[in-house]
Coordinates of all heavy atoms in Angstrom, one line a residue:
T1 N -26.3 22.1 22.7 CA -27.3 22.7 23.5 C -28.7 22.4 23.0 O -29.6 22.1 23.8 CB -27.1 24.2 23.7 OG1 -25.8 24.5 24.2 CG2 -28.2 24.8 24.6
E2 N -28.9 22.5 21.7 CA -30.2 22.3 21.1 C -30.6 20.8 21.3 O -31.8 20.5 21.7 CB -30.2 22.6 19.7 CG -30.1 24.1 19.3 CD -30.1 24.3 17.8 OE1 -29.0 24.0 17.2 OE2 -31.0 24.8 17.3
V3 N -29.7 19.9 21.1 CA -29.9 18.5 21.3 C -30.2 18.2 22.8 O -31.1 17.4 23.1 CB -28.7 17.6 20.8 CG1 -29.0 16.1 21.1 CG2 -28.5 17.9 19.3
R4 N -29.4 18.8 23.7 CA -29.7 18.5 25.1 C -31.1 19.0 25.5 O -31.7 18.3 26.3 CB -28.6 19.3 25.9 CG -28.8 19.0 27.5 CD -27.7 19.7 28.2 NE -27.7 21.1 28.0 CZ -26.7 21.9 28.3 NH1 -25.6 21.5 28.9 NH2 -26.8 23.2 28.1
N5 N -31.5 20.1 25.1 CA -32.9 20.6 25.4 C -33.9 19.6 24.9 O -34.9 19.4 25.7 CB -33.1 22.0 24.8 CG -32.4 23.1 25.5 OD1 -31.9 22.9 26.6 ND2 -32.2 24.2 24.8
R6 N -33.7 19.0 23.8 CA -34.7 18.0 23.3 C -34.6 16.7 24.2 O -35.7 16.2 24.5 CB -34.4 17.7 21.8 CG -34.7 18.8 20.9 CD -34.6 18.3 19.4 NE -34.9 19.4 18.5 CZ -35.2 19.2 17.2 NH1 -35.2 17.9 16.7 NH2 -35.5 20.2 16.4
V7 N -33.4 16.3 24.5 CA -33.3 15.2 25.4 C -33.9 15.4 26.7 O -34.6 14.5 27.2 CB -31.8 14.8 25.5 CG1 -31.6 13.7 26.6 CG2 -31.2 14.3 24.2
F8 N -33.6 16.5 27.3 CA -34.2 16.9 28.6 C -35.8 16.9 28.5 O -36.5 16.5 29.5 CB -33.7 18.2 29.1 CG -32.4 18.1 29.9 CD1 -31.7 17.0 29.9 CD2 -31.9 19.2 30.6 CE1 -30.5 16.9 30.6 CE2 -30.7 19.1 31.3 CZ -30.0 18.0 31.3
T9 N -36.3 17.4 27.4 CA -37.7 17.4 27.2 C -38.3 16.0 27.2 O -39.3 15.7 27.9 CB -38.1 18.1 25.9 OG1 -37.6 19.5 25.9 CG2 -39.6 18.2 25.7
I10 N -37.7 15.1 26.5 CA -38.1 13.7 26.4 C -38.0 13.0 27.8 O -38.9 12.3 28.3 CB -37.4 13.0 25.3 CG1 -37.7 13.6 24.0 CG2 -37.8 11.5 25.3 CD1 -36.8 13.1 22.8
M11 N -36.8 13.2 28.4 CA -36.6 12.6 29.7 C -37.6 13.2 30.8 O -38.0 12.4 31.7 CB -35.2 12.9 30.2 CG -34.1 12.2 29.5 SD -32.4 12.6 30.2 CE -31.4 11.5 29.4
G12 N -38.0 14.5 30.6 CA -38.8 15.1 31.6 C -40.3 14.5 31.6 O -41.0 14.7 32.6
E13 N -40.7 13.9 30.5 CA -42.0 13.3 30.4 C -43.1 14.2 30.8 O -44.0 13.9 31.6 CB -42.0 12.0 31.2 CG -41.1 10.9 30.8 CD -41.1 9.7 31.6 OE1 -41.5 9.7 32.8 OE2 -40.8 8.6 31.0
G14 N -43.1 15.5 30.3 CA -44.1 16.4 30.5 C -43.9 17.4 31.7 O -44.7 18.3 32.0
L15 N -42.7 17.2 32.4 CA -42.4 18.1 33.5 C -42.2 19.5 33.1 O -42.6 20.4 33.8 CB -41.2 17.6 34.2 CG -40.7 18.4 35.4 CD1 -41.7 18.3 36.5 CD2 -39.4 17.8 36.0
W16 N -41.7 19.7 31.9 CA -41.5 21.0 31.3 C -41.6 20.9 29.8 O -41.6 19.8 29.2 CB -40.2 21.6 31.7 CG -39.0 20.6 31.6 CD1 -38.7 19.8 30.6 CD2 -38.1 20.3 32.7 NE1 -37.6 19.0 30.9 CE2 -37.2 19.3 32.2 CE3 -37.9 20.8 33.9 CZ2 -36.2 18.8 32.9 CZ3 -36.9 20.3 34.7 CH2 -36.1 19.3 34.2
S17 N -41.8 22.0 29.1 CA -41.9 22.0 27.7 C -40.6 22.4 27.0 O -39.7 23.0 27.7 CB -43.0 23.1 27.3 OG -42.5 24.4 27.5
H18 N -40.5 22.0 25.8 CA -39.3 22.3 25.0 C -39.1 23.8 24.9 O -38.0 24.3 24.9 CB -39.3 21.6 23.7 CG -38.1 21.8 22.8 ND1 -38.2 22.6 21.7 CD2 -36.8 21.4 22.9 CE1 -37.0 22.7 21.2 NE2 -36.1 22.0 21.9
R19 N -40.2 24.5 24.7 CA -40.2 25.9 24.5 C -39.6 26.6 25.8 O -38.7 27.5 25.6 CB -41.6 26.4 24.3 CG -41.7 28.0 24.1 CD -43.1 28.4 24.0 NE -43.9 27.9 25.1 CZ -44.0 28.6 26.3 NH1 -43.2 29.6 26.5 NH2 -44.8 28.1 27.2
K20 N -40.0 26.1 26.9 CA -39.5 26.8 28.2 C -38.0 26.4 28.4 O -37.3 27.3 28.8 CB -40.3 26.3 29.4 CG -41.7 26.9 29.5 CD -42.4 26.5 30.8 CE -43.8 27.2 30.9 NZ -44.4 26.9 32.2
L21 N -37.6 25.2 28.1 CA -36.2 24.9 28.2 C -35.4 25.7 27.2 O -34.3 26.2 27.6 CB -36.0 23.4 27.8 CG -36.3 22.4 29.0 CD1 -36.2 21.0 28.4 CD2 -35.3 22.5 30.1
S22 N -35.8 25.9 26.0 CA -35.1 26.7 25.0 C -35.0 28.1 25.4 O -34.0 28.8 25.1 CB -35.7 26.5 23.6 OG -35.8 25.1 23.2
N23 N -36.0 28.6 26.0 CA -36.1 30.0 26.4 C -35.5 30.3 27.8 O -35.4 31.4 28.3 CB -37.5 30.6 26.4 CG -38.1 30.6 25.0 OD1 -37.3 30.7 24.0 ND2 -39.4 30.6 24.9
G24 N -35.0 29.2 28.5 CA -34.4 29.4 29.8 C -35.4 29.7 30.9 O -35.1 30.3 31.9
E25 N -36.7 29.3 30.7 CA -37.7 29.6 31.6 C -37.9 28.5 32.7 O -39.0 28.2 33.1 CB -39.0 29.8 30.9 CG -39.0 31.0 29.9 CD -40.2 31.1 29.1 OE1 -41.2 30.4 29.4 OE2 -40.3 31.9 28.1
I26 N -36.8 27.9 33.1 CA -36.8 26.8 34.0 C -36.1 27.3 35.3 O -35.0 27.8 35.2 CB -36.2 25.5 33.5 CG1 -36.9 25.1 32.2 CG2 -36.2 24.4 34.5 CD1 -38.3 24.7 32.4
E27 N -36.7 27.1 36.5 CA -36.0 27.4 37.7 C -34.8 26.5 37.9 O -34.9 25.3 37.8 CB -37.0 27.3 38.9 CG -38.2 28.3 38.8 CD -37.7 29.7 39.1 OE1 -36.6 29.9 39.7 OE2 -38.3 30.6 38.6
V28 N -33.7 27.1 38.3 CA -32.5 26.3 38.5 C -32.7 25.2 39.6 O -32.2 24.1 39.5 CB -31.3 27.2 38.9 CG1 -30.1 26.4 39.2 CG2 -31.0 28.1 37.7
E29 N -33.4 25.6 40.7 CA -33.6 24.6 41.8 C -34.5 23.4 41.3 O -34.2 22.3 41.7 CB -34.3 25.3 42.9 CG -33.4 26.3 43.7 CD -32.1 25.6 44.2 OE1 -32.2 24.4 44.7 OE2 -31.0 26.2 44.0
T30 N -35.4 23.7 40.4 CA -36.3 22.6 39.9 C -35.4 21.7 39.0 O -35.5 20.5 39.1 CB -37.4 23.2 39.0 OG1 -38.2 24.1 39.7 CG2 -38.2 22.1 38.4
L31 N -34.5 22.3 38.3 CA -33.6 21.4 37.4 C -32.7 20.6 38.3 O -32.4 19.4 38.1 CB -32.8 22.3 36.5 CG -31.8 21.6 35.5 CD1 -32.6 20.7 34.6 CD2 -31.0 22.7 34.8
K32 N -32.2 21.2 39.4 CA -31.3 20.5 40.3 C -32.0 19.3 41.0 O -31.4 18.2 41.1 CB -30.7 21.4 41.4 CG -29.7 22.4 40.9 CD -29.2 23.3 42.0 CE -28.1 24.2 41.6 NZ -27.6 25.1 42.7
M33 N -33.2 19.5 41.4 CA -34.0 18.5 42.1 C -34.3 17.3 41.1 O -34.1 16.2 41.5 CB -35.3 19.1 42.7 CG -35.1 20.0 43.9 SD -36.6 20.8 44.4 CE -37.6 19.3 44.8
W34 N -34.6 17.7 39.9 CA -34.9 16.7 38.9 C -33.7 15.9 38.5 O -33.7 14.7 38.4 CB -35.5 17.4 37.6 CG -35.7 16.4 36.5 CD1 -36.7 15.5 36.3 CD2 -34.8 16.3 35.3 NE1 -36.5 14.8 35.1 CE2 -35.4 15.3 34.5 CE3 -33.7 16.9 34.9 CZ2 -34.8 14.9 33.3 CZ3 -33.1 16.6 33.7 CH2 -33.6 15.6 32.9
H35 N -32.6 16.6 38.4 CA -31.3 15.9 38.1 C -30.9 15.0 39.2 O -30.5 13.8 38.9 CB -30.2 17.0 37.9 CG -28.9 16.4 37.5 ND1 -28.0 15.9 38.3 CD2 -28.3 16.4 36.2 CE1 -26.9 15.5 37.7 NE2 -27.1 15.7 36.4
A36 N -31.0 15.4 40.4 CA -30.6 14.5 41.5 C -31.5 13.3 41.6 O -31.1 12.2 41.9 CB -30.7 15.3 42.9
K37 N -32.8 13.4 41.2 CA -33.7 12.3 41.3 C -33.7 11.4 40.1 O -33.8 10.1 40.3 CB -35.2 12.8 41.5 CG -36.2 11.8 41.7 CD -37.6 12.4 41.9 CE -38.6 11.3 42.1 NZ -40.0 11.9 42.3
H38 N -33.4 11.9 38.9 CA -33.6 11.1 37.7 C -32.3 10.8 37.0 O -32.2 9.9 36.2 CB -34.6 11.7 36.8 CG -36.0 11.8 37.3 ND1 -36.8 10.8 37.4 CD2 -36.6 12.9 37.9 CE1 -38.0 11.2 37.9 NE2 -37.9 12.5 38.2
L39 N -31.2 11.6 37.2 CA -30.0 11.5 36.4 C -28.8 11.0 37.1 O -28.0 10.3 36.6 CB -29.7 12.8 35.7 CG -30.2 13.0 34.3 CD1 -31.8 13.1 34.4 CD2 -29.7 14.3 33.7
Q40 N -28.7 11.3 38.4 CA -27.6 10.8 39.2 C -27.5 9.3 39.3 O -28.5 8.7 39.6 CB -27.6 11.5 40.6 CG -27.1 12.9 40.6 CD -27.0 13.5 42.0 OE1 -27.3 12.8 43.0 NE2 -26.5 14.7 42.1
G41 N -26.3 8.8 39.0 CA -26.2 7.3 39.1 C -26.6 6.6 37.9 O -26.6 5.4 37.8

């Protein structure tokens, strides 16, 4: 989980901070939209 948060932070390129990811301060819908756009496929 710690590694994934760091990877998501780097992949996000400033979209969110590592602190917010670690604290769960990310909207689920925002994560879903980002995942569909940048990770699927």
